[in-house]
Amino acid sequence: MIILSGGTGTPKLLGGLKKIVPEENIAVIVNTAEDRWVSSNLVCPDIDTVLYTFADLIDERKWWGVRDDTFYTHEILKALGHHEPMMLGDQDRATHILRSELIRDGLTLTRSTDELRSSFMIKAKILPMTNDPVATMVDTPNGEMHFQDFWIAHKGEPKVLDVRFDGIDAAKPTPEVMNALSSEDTIVIGPSNPITSISPILGLKGVIPILQKKHVIAVSPIIGNKPISGPAGKLMRAKGYEVSSAGVAQCYEDFLDVLVVDRGDNCVIPNIEVVKTNTIMSSVERSMELARFIVGLVQSPKR
Ligand code: GDP
């Protein structure tokens, strides 16, 4: 199964999927537009969460970082007067150090991610969307800021005027991403933020034309008029979309065939097939149930 991912909703689904599908049959195309260098190391929040999910290390309370990690280095740096823009755990930092060493040795982000995948003994393919730098920038009344500054330093509070992806026009999807997208008839978009997690992947040249030739199934991250977590509502509104599953369908209108929405969602969406199931992954069992449902749709799509 080929699945497009950000760093919370889709990894929750992957936690269930890896228990019901052989891991080597899964390829995850991951957003990199939230990546950022912190204290000389490249932090890739979405790739890291996907790695830790497959490695059974993810902190499932926060959906970032390593479970039971310590923060000594982060705190000592702060005491020394160096305030990092993101909380980085000590074990988590080891991943960033190794990745950055590999990149300084000349490896691409794709190759360095594959080295990490192998070190964590993961069999699924984890494919960064691009090897080129892309940065999500949020325009607010206080000025434009990196998404991480908006979300962490400003706690997601400023009004959002616009969102743009710095570097997206020059960035190329990797050959590994293009091969993965070409390799199957059905592509799944997980329940991720359509603006900050999925639209950077869609913004890479050539991705939408491939999706238009495929059967595309997306899972809505919105129930009623609210996301389950995170800033998707605010960001969708800023981009002119209704905050609803219908709004999610609109984000994907160029290629979407099926939208999976929660049973409790009374959305009405013209022109696409809407299927209902329980989409709230409050436990690994619920993630497995949703994963089973999606596998069923992929294996026997109504066309
Ligand atoms: P980010 O990179 O941390 O923003 O993570 P994603 O984009 O992958 O996921 C964020 C989205 O996941 C939010 O819009 C949430 O509404 C959605 N989400 C989180 N938990 C669940 C869940 O259990 N079910 C569904 N359907 N969506 C979820």
Side-chain angles (χ1 to χ4, degrees):
M1 182 187 293
I2 313 294
I3 182 160
L4 275 50
S5 182
T8 305
T10 307
K12 278 191 197 176
L13 180 62
L14 294 171
L17 188 65
K18 77 188 176 97
K19 293 191 186 293
I20 62 167
V21 166
E23 235 183 74
E24 52 272 33
N25 294 355
I26 306 173
V28 192
I29 297 173
V30 192
N31 173 43
T32 60
E34 290 172 26
D35 296 5
R36 144 177 246 198
W37 288 85
V38 179
S39 306
S40 305
N41 294 311
L42 183 60
V43 180
C44 302
D46 293 355
I47 292 174
D48 293 335
T49 296
V50 171
L51 283 168
Y52 299 150
T53 299
F54 280 109
D56 275 331
L57 292 170
I58 188 70
D59 182 335
E60 283 163 342
R61 284 169 307 128
K62 303 191 298 241
W63 283 95
W64 59 265
V66 172
R67 192 186 308 125
D68 299 327
D69 209 350
T70 54
F71 289 83
Y72 293 118
T73 311
H74 180 79
E75 293 302 330
I76 292 167
L77 286 170
K78 198 193 293 179
L80 292 171
H82 176 69
H83 294 259
E84 295 185 312
M86 306 168 80
M87 290 271 291
L88 299 179
D90 297 309
Q91 292 186 56
D92 186 20
R93 193 183 298 272
T95 302
H96 310 141
I97 291 174
L98 178 53
R99 165 185 298 127
S100 308
E101 284 295 298
L102 293 168
I103 288 175
R104 281 187 280 265
D105 284 347
L107 268 62
T108 60
L109 182 60
T110 300
R111 286 277 315 281
S112 64
T113 303
D114 200 52
E115 291 287 321
L116 288 166
R117 177 202 62 75
S118 163
S119 305
F120 282 117
M121 291 186 291
I122 296 168
K123 296 200 185 101
K125 287 200 183 94
I126 302 176
L127 306 175
M129 65 179 201
T130 180
N131 290 319
D132 303 317
V134 178
T136 301
M137 304 300 296
V138 181
D139 191 18
T140 77
N142 317 343
E144 194 177 56
M145 56 186 84
H146 191 281
F147 174 77
Q148 298 294 354
D149 290 332
F150 165 76
W151 187 235
I152 299 171
H154 290 84
K155 303 186 171 70
E157 284 165 2
K159 184 173 156 63
V160 176
L161 304 174
D162 199 6
V163 181
R164 73 179 181 89
F165 304 104
D166 203 20
I168 195 77
D169 292 339
K172 291 184 289 298
T174 67
E176 291 81 357
V177 163
M178 294 309 260
N179 287 340
L181 289 174
S182 304
S183 68
E184 300 222 357
D185 293 338
T186 301
I187 307 292
V188 176
I189 300 182
S192 281
N193 184 328
I195 306 301
T196 49
S197 295
I198 303 301
S199 95
I201 305 176
L202 303 177
L204 296 167
K205 219 171 276 125
V207 169
I208 288 183
I210 293 198
L211 293 181
Q212 284 170 332
K213 293 188 206 131
K214 303 286 172 178
H215 188 68
V216 181
I217 301 171
V219 184
S220 177
I222 308 282
I223 301 182
N225 60 2
K226 281 200 199 82
I228 290 173
S229 60
K234 202 170 202 178
L235 301 175
M236 284 177 75
R237 221 172 281 121
K239 292 305 273 181
Y241 294 104
E242 183 183 284
V243 183
S244 65
S245 290
V248 173
Q250 223 190 339
C251 293
Y252 303 148
E253 68 184 353
D254 290 343
F255 52 79
L256 186 66
D257 298 291
V258 179
L259 187 67
V260 179
V261 306
D262 192 72
R263 272 190 209 294
D265 196 337
N266 294 320
C267 57
V268 178
I269 311 174
N271 302 329
I272 61 150
E273 186 188 345
V274 175
V275 290
K276 292 195 173 188
T277 189
N278 295 323
T279 68
I280 301 180
M281 295 173 280
S282 45
S283 64
V284 70
E285 289 74 24
R286 296 287 293 266
S287 301
M288 286 166 69
E289 266 170 45
L290 180 58
R292 226 173 259 121
F293 185 84
I294 308 280
V295 169
L297 288 179
V298 170
Q299 286 174 345
S300 52
K302 261 201 283 162
R303 312 223 173 156

